[in-house]
Amino acid sequence: MAGEEISSFKEFQKIGHSAFILGYTGKVGKALTKELAKAKLFKKVFLIGRRQVQLDGDIGEEFEQIVVDFEKIEDYADIFKDIDVGFCCLGTTTKNGTESFVRVDHDYVIKSAELAKSGGCKHFNFISTKWADRNGTLLYIKTKGQVEEALKVMHFNRLSVFRPGGILGHRDDSRLTETVATFFLKPVTFLFPTAITIPVEMFAKAMIKNTVTPADHPVEILENKDIHAISGSLTMCHTDQKQAAD
């Protein structure tokens, strides 16, 4: 990892930031939690979800699980007070019906973001999707596009919108469509690794590296190739940080 990047990590750590992760039990949320535990980037990380789960043994004491009812998320406004950085990994599929999908991927996200903004969140990270478009014909990309637009007008100090392609990695709750898609995407992934897929661990590392890197604009849209590029040298930072401090 380059010296400038190590310096960014160390400076970020010194400030003593706090963070929350919405949807930490999903594929991306789990990977992000693990990478944050390795990086020791935040003094406190609140894991906000609908249920409590058994965390891996290497998840430190700075991580705290908080169970909420997203249908009544307004009742939990105090949870979001004075948290600097938010990571939104909330998401579901349409297999449970259109109404359920929109409620989770649209309503829950927007209401949580509003509370975070009111509570003082300065940097909000949102996982959208490739080809997100509020005027799209497909429900998934249309919903993600609508959320993007809603987040923009909340005027966070910094809004990072990630538009990954297919996210490759293990999921505890098997989803047939993802399994089939992953199988057919393997040849494309091999030939064009940055085109339409990204490994979940790489995605999580990119989110972390992006957090400690100053942004040129208050709103940044990061496409799949951008996410690959950002993650580039982060793989060494966990060991390099200790060496740099010695």
Side-chain angles (χ1 to χ4, degrees):
M1 186 176 184
E4 183 178 346
E5 293 169 347
I6 294 174
S7 177
S8 295
F9 265 78
K10 292 176 70 176
E11 288 301 317
F12 193 94
Q13 288 171 317
K14 285 180 182 179
I15 296 174
H17 291 285
S18 56
F20 66 79
I21 303 177
L22 293 165
Y24 69 98
T25 60
K27 180 165 61 176
V28 178
K30 282 184 177 180
L32 179 60
T33 299
K34 289 181 180 179
E35 293 301 327
L36 284 177
K38 295 176 185 176
K40 302 293 183 184
L41 194 60
F42 294 97
K43 66 176 182 180
K44 190 72 177 179
V45 180
F46 297 94
L47 305 175
I48 303 174
R50 290 177 288 186
R51 67 184 192 280
Q52 195 165 49
V53 299
Q54 182 66 43
L55 299 175
D56 291 345
D58 56 353
I59 304 299
E61 294 182 354
E62 70 272 23
F63 290 81
E64 178 181 346
Q65 295 188 75
I66 299 179
V67 177
V68 301
D69 179 355
F70 282 103
E71 290 293 329
K72 303 175 182 178
I73 192 64
E74 295 87 354
D75 295 343
Y76 303 88
D78 287 347
I79 293 173
F80 295 93
K81 285 186 177 179
D82 302 320
I83 303 180
D84 306 287
V85 181
F87 297 96
C88 183
C89 304
L90 280 175
T92 185
T93 67
T94 57
K95 70 177 184 179
N96 293 323
T98 299
E99 183 178 342
S100 176
F101 168 76
V102 172
R103 189 165 64 250
V104 174
D105 281 58
H106 182 277
D107 300 350
Y108 290 178
V109 173
I110 291 176
K111 289 179 181 179
S112 297
E114 289 173 344
L115 293 176
K117 180 67 168 69
S118 297
C121 179
K122 297 178 176 62
H123 184 189
F124 193 83
N125 297 270
F126 171 60
I127 301 177
S128 185
T129 188
K130 194 175 180 67
W131 302 304
D133 181 359
R134 64 178 177 179
N135 297 315
T137 55
L138 296 177
L139 177 64
Y140 190 78
I141 64 172
K142 180 178 181 178
T143 301
K144 293 295 187 181
Q146 289 174 339
V147 173
E148 286 185 13
E149 296 306 313
L151 293 175
K152 289 176 184 177
V153 298
M154 291 184 196
H155 300 297
F156 287 94
N157 289 14
R158 181 179 181 185
L159 172 64
S160 299
V161 175
F162 294 87
R163 290 179 174 176
I167 302 173
L168 307 177
H170 172 73
R171 184 191 294 277
D172 290 339
D173 57 323
S174 178
R175 295 179 180 177
L176 179 60
T177 53
E178 286 191 5
T179 302
V180 173
T182 299
F183 175 79
F184 284 105
L185 284 173
K186 279 185 178 180
V188 180
T189 302
F190 179 77
L191 295 172
F192 309 101
T194 67
I196 57 174
T197 62
I198 187 165
V200 67
E201 294 82 5
M202 182 180 289
F203 186 17
K205 290 173 181 177
M207 294 180 75
I208 296 171
K209 182 176 176 182
N210 189 65
T211 298
V212 304
T213 304
D216 295 327
H217 303 283
V219 177
E220 52 188 353
I221 306 296
L222 303 165
E223 302 290 350
N224 199 66
K225 288 186 177 180
D226 300 322
I227 300 170
H228 273 271
I230 292 170
S231 70
S233 59
L234 186 62
T235 53
M236 294 297 293
C237 78
H238 301 138
T239 55
D240 285 352
Q241 283 185 82
K242 185 178 185 302
Q243 293 172 1
D246 292 340

